Amino acid sequence: MRYLTIILFLFILSGCQKHFLDKVPTEDMTLEEVFAERQYAERFLTSVYFNLPEELGFHQWYHRNPFVGASDDMEITWSGAFGNTMNTGAWNPNNIDNNIWNFNWEGLRKANIFLEQIPNTPMDEAAKQRWIGEATFLRAFFHFLLARTHGAIPIVDRAYTQDEDFGIIKQRPIDEVAQFIAAECDVAASLLPDRITKDQLGRPCKSSALALKSRVLLYWASPLWNGNPDYKSFVNVDGENLYSGTADPARWTVAANAAEEAITTAEAAGYKLYQENADPVANYHDIFMKNYNSEVLFARNMGAYKESEGASTPNGMGGYGGYCPTQELVDAYEMENGETPIVGYEAGGKPIINERSGYVETGYATQDHPKGWYLTDTRNMYARREPRFYASIHFSGAYWRTRRIEFWNSGRDGRGGNAVDHSVTGYLVRKFSDEDVNIPQNIYTNKTWIYFRLGELYLNHAEALNEAEGPTGMVYSRVNAIRNRAGLPNLPTGLSQDQMREKIRHERRIELAMETHRYFDTRRWKIAAETDGGDFYRMSIDKGNSLTDDAFYVRTFMKKRVFDKQKHYLWPIPQGELNKTPSLVQNPGW
């Protein structure tokens, strides 16, 4: 396990205005010197925030988010992205992205040091208690970030010294890990304010801690961590079972109660689903454009984050077309009438079309959409789709930054114009991209990455409550609130528990698309072998000479992805860490 000597990581994370995380560097100091003065203690706390993952970047190691590209949400253009390595099945304990393990343990250690040293700092007691709440929340979050990838992990609630026997560090049962995180969230929530103010953007509030508690308890109730027969024989170095082989249905009630508490607390503090626009496309897109809007419970200031804009922008507009939604994700977006267009696939990727949806695979729109969501000559497969589709996906013929997008081979944004930087699926991500950006003129806007928002809590509550009690009125209310905000009709009444489960899972896929949820959702549900393995398809990006050239709109095999259900549900522990800490046990299958 990586335990570094204490270095103050001081940095600048800019936002729309001067925020809490806007700091300047200074020299290295001893712990006694740091915590003898308030300003240096605050800078140390700032360094703990530095270790949070920059999840808005999906392809570089330092972003620590290969998960979107390794899910069925997205394909990354460049082979060097670690998500692509995962999709080929070629990852192992010796070549995994160690930074996910290292950065989280480093952040956790710094949080522990802060919590142990801050009592020595002379400062206002109320402010000190708030900082303790922040560090406690961050310690819980780092534990969660490790557990969501590696499962049962050590619980580290103090700062170890270099001369200690690291043999005492060993994995704890997943039940203990989840309960520890949940308890930490309760402590943090008791110390944090109801809301953050404009000069505190980037810090957590009470609802941030309760949102984390909701998420970890949802995972704890799910099949991967709750009665998983595949792991019932997996033990730590002392022979303790790390997972129970018997499912406990009562955990769903615990998860439902935690989600309800988080929602109630957030809404009492003034948080609400963001819906400030009459146009549901703008409404959904602005959740990610209007920094710290009414829905955001915890986010990281990313500044003018150029990489994500470049990777989401077509190559003909100065970008490099790297973040490519899969055809499978595109097919999952509903029609404007609330029906799913594609209900399955035949051999060769031929879609099975739901006739009730009104979806048409061929032909072109004969007129503009009344609200401009698509224009004349747009392929019919992109017409009459639900609003979140137009807010999330760049497709051929979509209007963006003064012109229509051209992903066909000879188009300005196509493969023919750039053999390296182009969309490999025929789509790019619009969801986090700002139309006011102009890459050739180096004009960018400040961004955040949202870790927790109220929309997720609504879906957490709906899922847990459906599993605990079936499709109650509250389950419908939570899901319909998300759908209505997105301009979709209510779910049909009379659904069974199984049918509601599928509706909720579908709603999570669309509402939370590319927000780093899908990878972990499919794993905690234990369906990743079906969703992330097998053949993936795309548009025929090597064909087409115009917007209405049928040759481009042919579904074509892209690649076969590998998912080994014997080991890929959990990440391996890096081999170098096992070598340094032999009391850790490698995860099953690795």
Side-chain angles (χ1 to χ4, degrees), residues 162-182:
Q162 293 287 346
D163 58 356
E164 288 193 68
D165 176 13
F166 288 173
I168 64 176
I169 300 171
K170 61 197 71 173
Q171 287 117 314
R172 301 306 305 152
I174 195 64
D175 293 358
E176 289 186 21
V177 174
Q179 292 300 318
F180 171 79
I181 296 170

Side-chain angles (χ1 to χ4, degrees), residues 47 52 189 212 222 325 349 363 396 400 432 475 519 552:
S47 77
L52 292 174
L212 173 56
S222 300
S396 283
W400 186 249
F432 311 111
V475 173
Y519 176 94
F552 171 76

Side-chain angles (χ1 to χ4, degrees), residues 299-364:
R300 175 169 180 162
N301 301 321
M302 302 299 297
Y305 207 65
K306 299 180 180 181
E307 284 193 59
S308 66
E309 284 290 0
S312 299
T313 296
N315 51 45
M317 297 181 182
Y320 34 93
Y323 295 166
C324 313
T326 63
Q327 184 65 52
E328 289 71 20
L329 175 60
V330 168
D331 290 346
Y333 283 91
E334 293 181 1
M335 303 299 287
E336 61 186 3
N337 62 5
E339 291 280 352
T340 302
I342 308 297
V343 295
Y345 300 92
E346 298 177 358
K350 182 180 179 181
I352 302 171
I353 296 172
N354 173 12
E355 298 297 337
R356 296 191 307 274
S357 71
Y359 175 81
V360 178
E361 185 97 341
T362 59
Y364 302 88

Side-chain angles (χ1 to χ4, degrees), residues 442-469:
N442 200 34
I443 297 172
Y444 294 90
T445 53
N446 290 319
K447 293 185 177 297
T448 64
W449 175 259
I450 302 170
Y451 295 115
F452 298 100
R453 64 183 177 93
L454 195 57
E456 178 205 344
L457 289 179
Y458 272 51
L459 294 173
N460 290 358
H461 191 209
E463 179 181 348
L465 194 58
N466 183 61
E467 296 299 334
E469 302 178 14

Side-chain angles (χ1 to χ4, degrees), residues 240-290:
E240 290 180 281
N241 287 97
L242 295 176
Y243 299 83
S244 169
T246 303
D248 179 5
R251 293 185 187 182
W252 288 112
T253 299
V254 175
N257 291 340
E260 183 176 30
E261 179 189 16
I263 293 168
T264 300
T265 301
E267 292 182 340
Y271 293 101
K272 59 184 179 179
L273 294 181
Y274 180 84
Q275 37 194 345
E276 303 300 319
N277 301 295
D279 182 348
V281 171
N283 216 33
Y284 183 74
H285 192 247
D286 279 357
I287 296 172
F288 314 99
M289 294 298 103
K290 305 295 185 183

Side-chain angles (χ1 to χ4, degrees), residues 334-581:
E334 293 181 1
M335 303 299 287
E336 61 186 3
N337 62 5
E339 291 280 352
T340 302
I342 308 297
V343 295
Y345 300 92
E346 298 177 358
K350 182 180 179 181
I352 302 171
I353 296 172
N354 173 12
E355 298 297 337
R356 296 191 307 274
S357 71
Y359 175 81
V360 178
E361 185 97 341
T362 59
Y364 302 88
T366 58
Q367 58 185 9
D368 295 351
H369 185 276
K371 295 184 178 179
W373 297 350
Y374 57 87
L375 304 177
T376 302
D377 290 333
T378 295
R379 186 73 169 185
N380 278 332
M381 64 194 305
Y382 310 134
R384 299 179 300 282
R385 303 297 289 270
E386 64 158 284
R388 287 176 297 190
F389 172 78
Y390 302 107
S392 303
I393 308 294
H394 284 315
F395 54 90
S396 283
Y399 191 83
W400 186 249
R401 295 178 187 162
T402 75
R403 70 168 174 85
R404 301 184 77 171
I405 294 173
E406 303 178 2
F407 286 139
W408 56 91
N409 185 53
S410 66
R412 285 176 285 182
D413 310 309
R415 180 173 180 261
N418 193 319
V420 177
D421 296 335
H422 63 271
S423 169
V424 294
T425 64
Y427 308 98
L428 286 176
V429 174
R430 185 187 178 203
K431 183 169 182 175
F432 311 111
S433 192
D434 193 336
E435 197 158 12
D436 291 336
V437 164
N438 187 311
I439 292 178
Q441 295 183 24
N442 200 34
I443 297 172
Y444 294 90
T445 53
N446 290 319
K447 293 185 177 297
T448 64
W449 175 259
I450 302 170
Y451 295 115
F452 298 100
R453 64 183 177 93
L454 195 57
E456 178 205 344
L457 289 179
Y458 272 51
L459 294 173
N460 290 358
H461 191 209
E463 179 181 348
L465 194 58
N466 183 61
E467 296 299 334
E469 302 178 14
T472 66
M474 180 56 75
V475 173
Y476 273 95
S477 177
R478 295 302 191 201
V479 180
N480 287 337
I482 296 295
R483 291 175 62 80
N484 296 164
R485 189 263 296 276
L488 285 173
N490 289 341
L491 292 176
T493 59
L495 296 175
S496 68
Q497 184 183 48
D498 290 345
Q499 290 171 327
M500 179 61 81
R501 179 183 302 117
E502 293 308 310
K503 292 292 186 182
I504 293 169
R505 290 182 176 185
H506 174 86
E507 204 64 39
R508 287 186 70 92
R509 181 176 193 186
I510 300 303
E511 174 68 18
L512 305 176
M514 298 168 285
E515 296 181 47
T516 324
H517 287 280
R518 179 66 175 176
Y519 176 94
F520 295 105
D521 279 349
T522 59
R523 279 149 184 79
R524 68 181 176 84
W525 295 329
K526 294 193 69 180
I527 65 169
E530 293 75 46
T531 61
D532 290 359
D535 295 345
F536 279 71
Y537 289 81
R538 57 172 171 82
M539 291 288 95
S540 296
I541 59 172
D542 58 342
K543 296 181 172 61
N545 293 303
S546 71
L547 175 60
T548 56
D549 188 338
D550 292 349
F552 171 76
Y553 301 101
V554 176
R555 294 165 182 267
T556 305
F557 175 76
M558 179 175 63
K559 65 167 29 173
K560 181 181 288 292
R561 289 187 176 185
V562 175
F563 186 90
D564 185 343
K565 62 182 180 181
Q566 301 303 317
K567 60 183 180 179
H568 286 163
Y569 276 104
L570 295 177
W571 272 50
I573 297 174
Q575 188 59 47
E577 303 304 325
L578 290 175
N579 295 341
K580 287 184 285 186
T581 314

